[in-house]
Amino acid sequence: MNNSNIYTLGTKLLSKTFSVNSICLGSGADEKGNNDAMNLLEGHLETFNFPIAFKHVSGKNYCDLMGSGWGILYLISDRMKHLLEKERLTGWKCFPIEIVDKNGKKIQEVYHGFSIVGRSGSIIYKKSDVIEKQLVPNGPLSKYYKGIHPEMETWDGSDFFLPKNHWGTMVTQKAKDIMVKNKLTNIMLQNLAEIEVGVNTVLDY
């Protein structure tokens, strides 16, 4: 499998979409350098007290994929969970959450925390093309890597996965096609071949 058959998973960040922030997750790092959101994303659930609480902050339109207030961590609807189970897509698991309104009253819509347990090797930027872009008229040229390439020799074959030392969720063509066909809402999928990353933002490859 090459990067033209892999996509990043994210939300559309629409203003009318129901959105939440976490109430109890901490930003401090543990002995591995991970904060709470990273551990939940990676499926390291042993030290948490469930359910994890989230509070409604804006929007009213419920969707299938919801941001959590942490850029890397998502919540999924019951509909999305059942679809992934029905289609036997791999590389994910759920954890219990609850959502409350601004007055602390529990909201009855059913959502689940979304952990990604599939894995691949690291992103290999040496495989990317280097392009130059001028971001403003008469401004300097900036260098970007065009296309990102996870090391797939150690990919475990999962439909949802995280590259080593990377917290952006990636999905296979199969998973992308199923989500699009079933019209899951608030989902943004970007092909890895089209992603651009500033060269000066990559510390080591």
Side-chain angles (χ1 to χ4, degrees):
M1 182 178 292
N2 57 51
N3 71 340
S4 65
N5 300 115
I6 305 171
Y7 300 80
T8 59
L9 176 69
T11 63
K12 295 180 179 179
L13 301 176
L14 301 175
S15 60
K16 293 183 179 180
T17 296
F18 188 94
S19 61
V20 301
N21 283 336
S22 65
I23 295 175
C24 58
L25 298 183
S27 58
D30 61 15
E31 67 277 3
K32 295 181 180 180
N34 286 2
N35 61 32
D36 284 347
M38 293 174 183
N39 281 321
L40 288 170
L41 172 67
E42 293 182 342
H44 305 311
L45 309 180
E46 299 82 8
T47 62
F48 290 94
N49 293 319
F50 294 104
I52 304 295
F54 295 87
K55 185 177 182 179
H56 176 224
V57 292
S58 64
K60 62 180 182 180
N61 295 340
Y62 291 103
C63 56
D64 291 307
L65 187 67
M66 183 190 300
S68 68
W70 295 83
I72 62 173
L73 184 66
Y74 299 105
L75 313 180
I76 65 172
S77 67
D78 215 36
R79 172 178 179 252
M80 181 168 174
K81 178 178 181 289
H82 289 317
L83 175 66
L84 302 188
E85 291 171 339
K86 176 185 174 184
E87 298 293 342
R88 298 183 179 180
L89 296 178
T90 59
W92 63 278
K93 65 181 179 181
C94 286
F95 57 88
I97 68 160
E98 66 177 11
I99 301 175
V100 298
D101 65 19
K102 296 175 182 179
N103 297 315
K105 183 179 178 181
K106 187 175 180 180
I107 291 172
Q108 296 304 311
E109 294 289 334
V110 179
Y111 280 85
H112 310 271
F114 194 48
S115 295
I116 306 301
V117 296
R119 297 291 186 266
S120 76
S122 301
I123 302 294
I124 305 173
Y125 288 100
K126 290 179 179 180
K127 291 186 176 182
S128 303
D129 295 327
V130 177
I131 63 173
E132 291 186 327
K133 297 176 69 174
Q134 192 174 48
L135 301 182
V136 296
N138 302 317
L141 290 172
S142 299
K143 290 185 177 181
Y144 289 81
Y145 293 115
K146 176 67 178 291
I148 60 174
H149 300 262
E151 189 275 296
M152 300 303 285
E153 290 183 2
T154 56
W155 171 51
D156 61 11
S158 297
D159 295 301
F160 293 81
F161 65 94
L162 299 172
K164 183 179 179 181
N165 299 322
H166 184 86
W167 291 277
T169 298
M170 299 187 178
V171 305
T172 60
Q173 185 75 47
K174 175 185 176 182
K176 180 256 188 186
D177 290 344
I178 288 171
M179 290 187 288
V180 170
K181 178 182 178 181
N182 288 274
K183 299 180 180 179
L184 295 184
T185 55
N186 198 37
I187 285 180
M188 183 171 67
L189 296 155
Q190 186 175 12
N191 192 282
L192 295 197
E194 300 302 319
I195 291 177
E196 297 176 1
V197 178
V199 169
N200 62 357
T201 67
V202 177
L203 298 180
D204 183 20
Y205 65 91

